[in-house]
Amino acid sequence: MDIAKDVSKRATCERAHVGCILVDDKRIIATGYNGSVSGMPHCDEAGHDLVDGHCVRTIHAEANAVLQCAVYGVPLIHKDITAYCNYMPCLKCIQLLVNVGIRKIIFEDFYGKWNKEDIERLMNYKKFCDLSICRFERKSEGVFTLCGKMDEICTMLSEFSNS
């Protein structure tokens, strides 16, 4: 998780510094952070491009990690790949990760608001796609646990979104 946080330091939208690493058998195969489309100005240069309270100037970290695999010819399908993200991916990024065959997502912190319908959609990914999402919790320096079954994560998401 520390590596995902280090990758997030490259993010160019200060609203959230998000990092994602894709790992296959303890080997990092791709990294991604939220940043602008290649060749376009970044938020820290041009400001945010907000639509309904969301900055649309950037591509999400998870998408950039998957795109890095595509650009460099790294296959994702039929592998046991885990996505480590310092923030819980949004529903669209979870859809993207599931669609390329990633079935395990580990995150540390919540970000963004989730509505009831999207939380129900997330539960369907568990049911139909065998998706596992776990929350990484630091207990102390060097000590951590992975917690939360999918229904527990959805309950936490609902509570976080209502706070």
Side-chain angles (χ1 to χ4, degrees):
M1 191 57 67
D2 289 334
I3 296 171
K5 282 190 164 195
D6 285 344
V7 170
S8 78
K9 293 174 185 174
R10 299 201 61 201
T12 59
C13 181
E14 70 274 358
R15 290 173 52 93
H17 285 226
V18 183
C20 174
I21 60 171
L22 302 182
V23 176
D24 181 18
D25 194 27
K26 299 182 182 180
R27 189 178 127 255
I28 297 170
I29 59 171
T31 63
Y33 56 90
N34 55 322
S36 293
V37 173
S38 294
M40 295 295 292
H42 296 284
C43 294
D44 54 8
E45 300 165 348
H48 300 290
D49 183 2
L50 297 177
V51 174
D52 296 328
H54 300 281
C55 184
V56 296
R57 184 178 303 281
T58 62
I59 297 175
H60 290 191
E62 301 84 356
N64 271 325
V66 170
L67 287 167
Q68 188 180 62
C69 289
V71 167
Y72 293 105
V74 178
L76 295 174
I77 297 291
H78 308 300
K79 292 194 169 213
D80 188 23
I81 296 170
T82 301
Y84 291 85
C85 309
N86 61 322
Y87 286 105
M88 169 104 177
C90 69
L91 184 63
K92 289 294 182 190
C93 285
I94 290 171
Q95 291 171 333
L96 174 74
L97 294 171
V98 167
N99 232 33
V100 298
I102 295 170
R103 296 293 183 263
K104 187 168 186 180
I105 300 168
I106 300 174
F107 73 98
E108 187 163 14
D109 294 314
F110 289 103
Y111 179 79
K113 300 291 182 189
W114 285 68
N115 61 44
K116 182 180 175 186
E117 293 81 14
D118 284 346
I119 292 171
E120 289 173 8
R121 287 179 183 99
L122 186 59
M123 286 302 293
N124 279 329
Y125 296 140
K126 173 193 184 260
K127 181 179 176 182
F128 294 107
C129 304
D130 194 31
L131 176 64
S132 169
I133 299 179
C134 300
R135 186 172 186 198
F136 176 94
E137 289 187 347
R138 293 178 195 275
K139 299 296 181 186
S140 63
E141 188 63 37
V143 179
F144 65 90
T145 60
L146 294 179
C147 71
K149 295 180 180 164
M150 195 72 150
D151 53 344
E152 293 170 350
I153 295 295
C154 288
T155 299
M156 286 188 266
L157 263 178
S158 181
E159 291 169 359
F160 174 79
S161 293
N162 291 325
S163 62

